Amino acid sequence: MTPAPTPEAAASGAPTPPPSKKPAPTIDSKGLQRYKMLATWIIFIGVLVVCFVGVDADFMALFSDGARQNMGRILGEMMRPDWSYASHIWKPMVETVQIAIAGTIIGAVLAVPVALLCAVNIMPKKIVSIPARMVLNLVRTVPDLLFAAIFVAVFGIGAFAGMLALVFFSFGLVAKLTYEAIEAIDPGPLEAMTASGANKIQLIVFGVIPQALPYFFSYVLYTFEVNVRAAAVLGFVGAGGIGLHLDQQLNSLRYDRASTIIVITLVIVLLIDYASTYLRRKLL
Amino acid sequence: MIEFKNVVKQYPNGTIGLNNINLNIKEGEFVVIVGLSGAGKSTLLRSINRLHDISSGEILVDGKSITRANGKQLRRIRRDIGMIFQSFNLVKRATVLRNVLSGRVGYHSTFSTMFGYFPKEDHDIALDALTRVNIREKAYIRADQLSGGQQQRVSIARALAQKPKVILADEPVASLDPLTTRQVMDDLQRINRELKITTIVNLHFIDLAREYATRIIGLRAGEVVFDGPVSEATDAKFSEIYGRPINEDELLAADAPKGGVTV
Ligand SMILES: Nc1ncnc2c1ncn2[C@@H]1O[C@H](COP(=O)(O)OP(=O)(O)OP(=O)(O)O)[C@@H](O)[C@H]1O
Ligand SMILES: [Mg+2]
């Protein structure tokens, strides 16, 4: 009939309630369940064995003399970090956090319109939501380091490539989490806004955003936490940040300096995690 | 004010929601629609502001066909129709005032509402609406901190902020206790009388229907089986509408001691 949004369509986007009642287990279904259990374990162990063979897993290597000696030597050097080196890494450390912040913010901003297009309670037309989801899933299949490697190849070595990589990564993560949150919002206010003569954008501004915003911010903070960690290793593919220096020190066997970098990175990541988790708890 | 012409509504799964409805509701009437669960009360109400599309026939609101309207015209007609829901449908995290102001969006361009800004006149209209339902002092409180009855009054205020010609209420008191039920119904009645807003309410309490309505419409299986003033809506007529004798629980009065005593 008419393309006007109807609550029938909106209701279909609501999360389905968990199944309420299971049928009472009978003798038969109990036996069946035992078989299912057994089959699950057999499959699980089978997969594990195939994987071990695939990676040439040799647990004895963990305890071989060579490994023990290497481990002892490296750990020994790492136990004595070269603190004088710390003054050299503040700049790249700050750059790392900057990459994470810029990547998160730009990615999150780009994620908003796409999340709205993906949510079926906002976009009942499948012709829009299905392609939007396809693009999103495509972006999400690419790991952040691969993005970084590609952008380093295109734009050259440096923080810009790293930031772009995190823009794409954050975009995928935030858009996916946000559209799922949007689909779970209470459809009531949307219906009320439609009934009062609101158009689509007004419906979003007054019905969707007030409900979804706390979730969105929480996801952005979470993405930022993940991005700080990712930014710390982006340097291994030349995409700026502290990882470049860690790579250099490891390659020149300066484990004392590497451990300075690791310790400082750890402290920064923990601080950011702590602050972010605190904020997220406040939000929701 | 509202005219149904041969209205049929068939749901996509084949269920007939409304079967050839012809009605003419005049300005200022307080119409109560009664009928068993599944009789088509909500379908009838929601087809008036086209939350449901009808399959054939036509509905006129204030002389304009909402059935044929599209886009901007449709939103313009909806702006004149306030709606009140059983579950209030407020944005729970937003303040009461914010919720009431959202009833004003139909009067503004997309651009000016995009940033959530409303002119001072709108604030005055919203506060005025809250005063009318006696919860002006709750304006700056978050909606989820109010009781059910208060939330329903906020949703009435939101409808009033639209400056509507018609108010539709779908089981507005079904989730309220008997005392707040009366307060909310009194509010609706006062608004209907003072502002001359045509009001259509779905109810399942027979005594409430008789007490507040100026006209009662009985539905059964998507058809109008009774339409007349309260004086004609006798117990016998109700039994006809329901196809069986009236139950105790269809009377609010019978419900009251239960709801009142048990805590
Ligand atoms: N979205 C839908 N899809 C299919 N059938 C529907 C839908 N909504 C309602 N119906 C059917 O249409 C008929 C009328 O439903 P309606 O909700 O209007 O009844 P009602 O009188 O409001 O009942 P209640 O008192 O339970 O609210 C019922 O048979 C119902 O099952
Ligand atoms: Mg109903």
Side-chain angles (χ1 to χ4, degrees), chain B:
Chain B
M1 183 54 110
I2 296 167
E3 211 181 332
F4 280 70
K5 292 182 182 167
N6 307 317
V7 172
V8 175
K9 162 74 184 177
Q10 182 169 24
Y11 282 102
N13 65 6
T15 315
I16 303 280
L18 298 174
N19 192 2
N20 197 30
I21 303 279
N22 284 286
L23 283 173
N24 195 348
I25 293 166
K26 285 182 278 302
E27 197 175 339
E29 281 192 300
F30 195 112
V31 179
V32 171
I33 300 173
V34 294
L36 284 176
S37 180
K41 306 183 293 292
S42 301
T43 310
L44 182 88
L45 214 62
R46 280 156 189 271
S47 58
I48 295 176
N49 60 1
R50 230 174 92 183
L51 285 182
H52 285 341
D53 281 307
I54 55 175
S55 314
S56 69
E58 190 172 23
I59 298 174
L60 304 181
V61 179
D62 200 17
K64 286 172 287 214
S65 169
I66 192 159
T67 314
R68 301 228 186 95
N70 49 31
K72 205 176 161 72
Q73 292 168 305
L74 172 63
R75 295 198 295 271
R76 202 50 174 267
I77 300 176
R78 279 178 173 161
R79 190 178 85 182
D80 290 338
I81 308 173
M83 188 155 198
I84 293 155
F85 303 84
Q86 175 178 343
S87 50
F88 325 135
N89 287 358
L90 301 177
V91 175
K92 298 198 176 63
R93 298 179 153 273
T95 62
V96 165
L97 183 63
R98 204 74 209 146
N99 271 289
V100 178
L101 278 172
S102 74
R104 297 294 302 163
V105 295
Y107 287 90
H108 300 290
S109 69
T110 304
F111 185 77
S112 66
T113 44
M114 202 128 94
F115 304 100
Y117 167 80
F118 288 99
K120 177 157 187 319
E121 300 89 84
D122 282 8
H123 282 258
D124 292 343
I125 291 170
L127 291 172
D128 204 49
L130 283 171
T131 309
R132 236 171 229 292
V133 289
N134 296 314
I135 45 168
R136 165 71 179 78
E137 74 280 4
K138 306 283 188 202
Y140 300 98
I141 293 177
R142 258 173 68 145
D144 56 5
Q145 290 175 4
L146 302 183
S147 71
Q150 290 169 329
Q151 288 191 36
Q152 193 57 298
R153 270 131 87 190
V154 174
S155 90
I156 294 175
R158 175 175 62 190
L160 280 181
Q162 286 175 234
K163 299 255 170 213
K165 298 191 178 111
V166 178
I167 284 183
L168 309 175
D170 193 0
E171 309 258 11
V173 294
S175 41
L176 304 179
D177 62 63
L179 186 68
T180 33
T181 288
R182 295 219 173 260
Q183 289 169 346
V184 165
M185 289 306 296
D186 285 343
D187 281 334
L188 286 174
Q189 184 174 57
R190 194 155 26 80
I191 288 159
N192 164 256
R193 287 184 180 161
E194 289 174 4
L195 303 176
K196 306 272 175 289
I197 297 176
T198 311
T199 305
I200 307 175
V201 185
N202 286 351
L203 282 181
H204 64 262
F205 289 122
I206 291 167
D207 46 351
L208 271 191
R210 284 205 191 104
E211 190 175 335
Y212 289 96
T214 59
R215 172 179 172 186
I216 290 178
I217 293 174
L219 287 184
R220 193 160 101 199
E223 290 182 41
V224 175
V225 291
F226 176 84
D227 182 1
V230 175
S231 55
E232 287 174 22
T234 58
D235 281 0
K237 281 283 180 217
F238 270 108
S239 303
E240 250 177 72
I241 298 172
Y242 285 9
R244 55 163 173 74
I246 298 167
N247 276 340
E248 278 273 288
D249 64 358
E250 276 144 15
L251 299 173
L252 180 68
D255 219 33
K258 268 187 275 160
V261 175
T262 51
V263 180

Side-chain angles (χ1 to χ4, degrees), chain A residues 74-136:
Chain A
I74 294 175
L75 276 181
E77 283 181 41
M78 284 197 153
M79 292 307 269
R80 292 184 293 277
D82 173 10
W83 291 118
S84 66
Y85 182 62
S87 59
H88 294 271
I89 60 172
W90 285 119
K91 237 185 101 213
M93 197 65 234
V94 169
E95 188 187 67
T96 308
V97 178
Q98 283 169 334
I99 292 173
I101 293 177
T104 310
I105 292 178
I106 298 173
V109 169
L110 295 176
V112 172
V114 176
L116 287 167
L117 292 180
C118 287
V120 290
N121 53 345
I122 310 300
M123 231 354 114
K125 286 183 209 124
K126 288 219 160 54
I127 194 145
V128 181
S129 59
I130 288 182
R133 282 178 191 207
M134 266 158 55
V135 170
L136 192 57

